[in-house]
């Protein structure tokens, strides 16, 4: 399983699709680390009232958190619970556009595999979630954004353990291809 360079695997998708659960599991399962979603910490006291500056702050926070945790990655494998592409999706949706600094960094910040979480899980209410009725729309946005990046991605579906196993299998297949 050793890779010759750091491989970054991003777990992304609409709200309430099990991203954090899968990212934490994969970090433990593959004896490495999972970069948490910075926005979860940042947004705790915003009461779902976000400004464009908040999105830019989250952009910088997510990048800094990822960079800070890279030295802790083992086996040249880093799992990321979301990426800065999430910032673009939210900026476009909430404000109609995304700052150029975010767009440029998305082009430069590469991930080797994206696990796009399907919307087949039931919605779980959470004070930091905003759009329970728009998950289908956001899944299509994610597909388009990943296609625009020519990203390597797999859709992860299933309930409970099946979902976790599907994520694990996608990572294992990726690692087997890169031996």
């Amino acid at each position: 399983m050793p890779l010759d360079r750091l491989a970054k695997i991003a777990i992304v998708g609409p709200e309430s699709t099990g991203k954090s659960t899968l990212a934490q599991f994969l970090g433990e399962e593959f004896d490495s680390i999972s970069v948490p979603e910075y926005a979860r910490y940042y947004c705790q006291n915003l009461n779902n009232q976000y400004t464009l500056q908040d999105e830019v702050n989250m952009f910088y926070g997510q990048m800094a958190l990822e960079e800070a945790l890279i030295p802790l990655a083992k086996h040249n494998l880093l799992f990321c619970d979301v990426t800065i592409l999430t910032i673009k999706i939210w900026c476009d949706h909430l404000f109609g556009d995304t700052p150029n600094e975010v767009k440029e960094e998305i082009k430069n910040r590469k991930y080797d595999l994206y696990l796009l979480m399907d919307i087949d899980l039931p919605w779980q209410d959470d004070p930091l979630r905003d759009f329970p009725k728009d998950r289908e729309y956001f899944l299509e946005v994610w597909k388009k954004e990943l296609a625009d990046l020519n990203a390597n991605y797999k859709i992860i579906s299933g309930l409970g353990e099946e979902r976790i196993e599907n994520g694990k299998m996608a990572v294992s297949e990726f690692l087997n291809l890169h031996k």
Side-chain angles (χ1 to χ4, degrees):
M1 178 173 98
L3 299 164
D4 61 353
R5 64 168 181 78
L6 181 68
K8 297 195 303 186
I9 298 175
I11 297 86
V12 298
E15 295 175 303
S16 190
T17 54
K19 295 180 296 290
S20 297
T21 299
L22 184 60
Q24 289 171 340
F25 170 83
L26 293 172
E28 292 170 13
E29 181 69 18
F30 289 94
D31 189 32
S32 191
I33 191 160
S34 171
V35 178
E37 179 182 10
Y38 180 78
R40 283 226 149 246
Y41 307 104
Y42 185 91
C43 294
Q44 285 178 338
N45 297 313
L46 293 181
N47 298 318
N48 298 43
Q49 300 296 314
Y50 315 110
T51 66
L52 186 57
Q53 186 60 56
D54 289 322
E55 293 294 335
V56 170
N57 293 348
M58 287 183 271
F59 161 72
Y60 284 111
Q62 189 68 44
M63 285 192 313
L65 187 54
E66 183 178 309
E67 294 299 320
L69 293 179
I70 285 174
L72 301 178
K74 297 179 191 170
H75 313 292
N76 276 337
L77 199 53
L78 182 73
F79 295 94
C80 299
D81 179 2
V82 309
T83 70
I84 58 173
L85 186 54
T86 304
I87 303 299
K88 180 184 184 306
I89 289 171
W90 284 111
C91 284
D92 287 352
H93 184 73
L94 295 172
F95 306 108
D97 198 11
T98 297
N100 284 333
E101 62 200 296
V102 175
K103 292 179 194 175
E104 287 305 310
E105 184 61 28
I106 287 168
K107 290 180 203 170
N108 296 324
R109 189 168 285 258
K110 303 294 183 200
Y111 297 86
D112 298 279
L113 175 65
Y114 288 85
L115 302 180
L116 176 57
M117 305 302 282
D118 203 351
I119 56 173
D120 54 343
L121 284 182
W123 176 267
Q124 297 278 325
D125 238 357
D126 178 318
L128 298 178
R129 294 182 179 147
D130 297 305
F131 299 104
K133 294 182 168 85
D134 296 329
R135 291 195 309 164
E136 191 171 312
Y137 164 78
F138 282 111
L139 182 60
E140 293 308 311
V141 170
W142 272 103
K143 288 176 183 176
K144 181 192 177 309
E145 292 291 341
L146 292 170
D148 288 350
L149 289 173
N150 199 26
N152 176 23
Y153 77 94
K154 301 267 186 212
I155 296 176
I156 305 300
S157 303
L159 300 176
E161 282 301 311
E162 179 187 14
R163 190 179 205 83
I164 297 290
E165 285 302 312
N166 289 339
K168 180 181 169 183
M169 189 174 1
V171 172
S172 294
E173 288 170 4
F174 167 80
L175 293 174
N176 285 333
L177 286 174
H178 295 85
K179 278 187 172 178

